[in-house]
Amino acid sequence: MNDLKLFKQKFDVHLERYLEKQIENISKFTKDSSILKNIHYLRKVSLSGGKRIRPYLAYLMYQAFSGKENEEILEFLVFLEIFHTFCLIHDDIMDKSDLRHGVPTAHAYISNSLKQEGRIGDIGHTGSSQAILLGDLLFSWSQEIINSNKNFSREIIDLVNVYFYKMVDEVVVGQMIDVDIATRKKVSKELIDNKTMLKTAGYSFTTPLLIGSALSGNTDKNIETFCGKFGLAMGIAFQTQDDLLDITSSNSKLGKPTSSDKSQNQHTYFTYFPSLEYGKRIIMDNFRQAKELVEKLKIKNLYRQKFLNFVEAIEKRTF
Amino acid sequence: MNDLKLFKQKFDVHLERYLEKQIENISKFTKDSSILKNIHYLRKVSLSGGKRIRPYLAYLMYQAFSGKENEEILEFLVFLEIFHTFCLIHDDIMDKSDLRHGVPTAHAYISNSLKQEGRIGDIGHTGSSQAILLGDLLFSWSQEIINSNKNFSREIIDLVNVYFYKMVDEVVVGQMIDVDIATRKKVSKELIDNKTMLKTAGYSFTTPLLIGSALSGNTDKNIETFCGKFGLAMGIAFQTQDDLLDITSSNSKLGKPTSSDKSQNQHTYFTYFPSLEYGKRIIMDNFRQAKELVEKLKIKNLYRQKFLNFVEAIEKRTF
């Protein structure tokens, strides 16, 4: 089993524990079984699938710069995955996706439940509304985890917040572009790049690394350059690879219908590329660049190797 | 001009300044004019109408318990109104409301813009998606204001967070009930009470008071009893009054169509009351109870009078 899979096993214990505690807490606000049933579904959405890339990168960076291997930090890093689940729930509403990681998305699950219960009115809309609220709850929880923590110094949490709030602005604006693009007949490559920078590079790679660095107590500002460059290379490679898989992969492997991007008038990198081969070259070049950046990073060989393994796991999608 | 109107004048200067700064900041993430136009609309949504009840109550409590009248705190209290605007934007999507305070709601504005620009696809859905994202942005900003503040001690901010995060859970669960209720043929009065406690009493009255108390440095835990009881009485009175106005008031005054609740299969207190008179009695009794609680509160007469004026302004809706 590779590092990322091992990490997921350990991390998910904390994630599950946290969700159970929160769902238990929420039960003091209402006794209504329909509402509680929807909230319980958060556990399923969050724990079904998902690679835990973001907390893994933060943890790796934390280890590399603090030399510590303590697992208490995993409890804190749960905020990244709670935030990610919030993003997925809201994204799935916007994309009208009914399935993710092989299970019904939040809005689809709730709409189905209401239908089965013989509810009246616009059931589809109600499912989306409840899913918006489930997402809002997770978004709140993610920030509560950061700001109710007592294990890190005020200075460290302040820096985490600086990175976190910048990332939220980025990922929201990135998603705004994504949503807007689907209504346009023509889109510039510049705008697709803009979206990838914000939604993928910054959100999935650069910021988790910065947060891991901040938590380690690292105060060397130069690390921001590495995180930015590594994130950009990984973001472009990953997004292009994702676009490619959307064209070529089979339904069952992704857990969602293939060519869903195209059917929704989604503009991808392959709109601009002369061939699939050209796209594959972009992917390869950027993964190589990411590895070169890691080679130059001044950390212990053990962690350097873990970084390289990570890039390869993403490259081969063996996670 | 009454206290609340004077407060709004002073407060809105800070609110506007904050929004302009944030919108300026966001402009570094994209140059796309469609996206920026949507984000700019946040200024209009937030500054058109609204009574500023929540920051006013927090300010009043802060003054009463600290004796200070400094206006720097208004800059901080902007977070309550930013959070409130987030709630309104998401609520309006769920209620399919196209108008609030006489101006188009976020989703309606964006859908109209896209239509005028000749965009393709499901324009209505895209408008809602963008409005979800505008709300997410504000939700994030409200918490960033709290947690990036350097003027208050860590202990004070920690207490603000305790109250704030409890309130978010409350208001989200309250809204979940509100949304769910519209799909039911029959609803218990217990559930309507549950909703009012969470969405109105806690959110609009109790929590702003608690936050004002925390910011004043007041550490007397007994204050929580006053805030809870006052909030409950005001919440019931206000919600019942709102339901009554929805039945009786004219379109132009509320800035939204009348009987919009009924047309959406909304269950209100008047579903259970034998008569309008009975409802009016509930309203009167609860406003009187709120005033009695204020009479017993150990604060300077100046602030006691301001509290009483506030209850009366709400009672007579002269704000």
Side-chain angles (χ1 to χ4, degrees), chain B residues 27-228:
Chain B
S27 308
K28 70 180 174 230
F29 295 119
T30 188
K31 296 190 194 330
D32 188 79
S33 58
S34 298
I35 304 300
L36 292 174
K37 195 175 85 172
N38 295 344
I39 294 171
H40 272 270
Y41 196 66
L42 283 177
R43 210 178 153 282
K44 187 145 193 178
V45 174
S46 202
L47 292 166
S48 300
K51 302 171 286 286
R52 317 299 179 226
I53 285 179
R54 295 160 195 85
Y56 178 72
L57 278 180
Y59 186 50
L60 188 48
M61 199 72 173
Y62 170 80
Q63 287 180 315
F65 284 87
S66 72
K68 292 181 200 159
E69 301 236 356
N70 61 322
E71 282 189 29
E72 294 112 70
I73 199 183
L74 300 186
E75 210 180 308
F76 182 78
L77 292 177
V78 160
F79 88 88
L80 279 172
E81 205 58 29
I82 294 293
F83 178 79
H84 186 53
T85 310
F86 146 70
C87 290
L88 297 183
I89 290 176
H90 279 196
D91 281 17
D92 286 336
I93 298 167
M94 297 172 201
D95 295 343
K96 299 183 186 174
S97 303
D98 288 344
L99 212 60
R100 182 183 286 273
H101 299 137
V103 301
T105 53
H107 66 95
Y109 167 78
I110 298 169
S111 295
N112 284 339
S113 294
L114 293 171
K115 205 171 166 186
Q116 278 166 17
E117 290 176 26
R119 297 296 189 91
I120 55 175
D122 191 342
I123 298 302
H125 181 74
T126 305
S128 296
S129 298
Q130 297 290 15
I132 292 173
L133 291 163
L134 286 179
D136 292 344
L137 213 50
L138 291 177
F139 190 15
S140 176
W141 293 353
S142 66
Q143 295 170 77
E144 189 182 16
I145 295 170
I146 299 174
N147 293 300
S148 64
N149 180 281
K150 310 282 181 209
N151 296 327
F152 295 100
S153 72
R154 192 62 221 146
E155 289 68 33
I156 285 179
I157 295 299
D158 281 348
L159 191 55
V160 169
N161 273 327
V162 167
Y163 294 138
F164 178 81
Y165 286 112
K166 179 163 177 280
M167 175 195 75
V168 175
D169 284 352
E170 284 177 353
V171 75
V172 170
V173 174
Q175 179 66 6
M176 284 174 170
I177 296 172
D178 209 1
V179 166
D180 191 86
I181 276 175
T183 68
R184 302 190 193 189
K185 281 173 199 144
K186 273 185 80 175
V187 177
S188 67
K189 180 163 180 300
E190 195 190 356
L191 194 58
I192 306 274
D193 276 335
N194 192 185
K195 185 194 77 169
T196 303
M197 287 272 284
L198 297 170
K199 249 192 92 170
T200 315
Y203 169 53
S204 299
F205 301 100
T206 301
T207 308
L209 292 175
L210 288 170
I211 285 173
S213 164
L215 291 172
S216 78
N218 181 20
T219 53
D220 181 6
K221 278 277 178 187
N222 288 321
I223 199 65
E224 293 183 3
T225 310
F226 164 76
C227 297

Side-chain angles (χ1 to χ4, degrees), chain A residues 175-270:
Chain A
Q175 180 66 6
M176 284 174 170
I177 295 172
D178 209 359
V179 166
D180 191 86
I181 276 175
T183 68
R184 302 191 193 187
K185 281 173 201 146
K186 272 186 81 174
V187 176
S188 67
K189 181 163 180 300
E190 193 190 357
L191 193 59
I192 306 273
D193 275 334
N194 191 186
K195 184 194 77 168
T196 302
M197 287 272 285
L198 297 170
K199 250 193 90 171
T200 315
Y203 170 52
S204 298
F205 301 101
T206 300
T207 309
L209 292 176
L210 288 171
I211 286 173
S213 164
L215 291 171
S216 77
N218 181 20
T219 52
D220 180 6
K221 278 278 177 186
N222 288 323
I223 199 63
E224 293 183 3
T225 309
F226 164 75
C227 298
K229 284 186 178 174
F230 179 82
L232 185 61
M234 289 299 286
I236 292 172
F238 188 80
Q239 186 58 55
T240 312
Q241 192 188 43
D242 216 53
D243 291 351
L244 181 69
L245 283 170
D246 198 76
I247 298 169
T248 60
S249 185
S250 76
N251 192 336
S252 61
K253 198 166 175 194
L254 286 175
K256 61 178 183 180
T258 45
S259 291
S260 58
D261 288 350
K262 205 175 175 188
S263 66
Q264 283 165 43
N265 191 41
Q266 190 55 279
H267 305 267
T268 77
Y269 276 122
F270 287 88

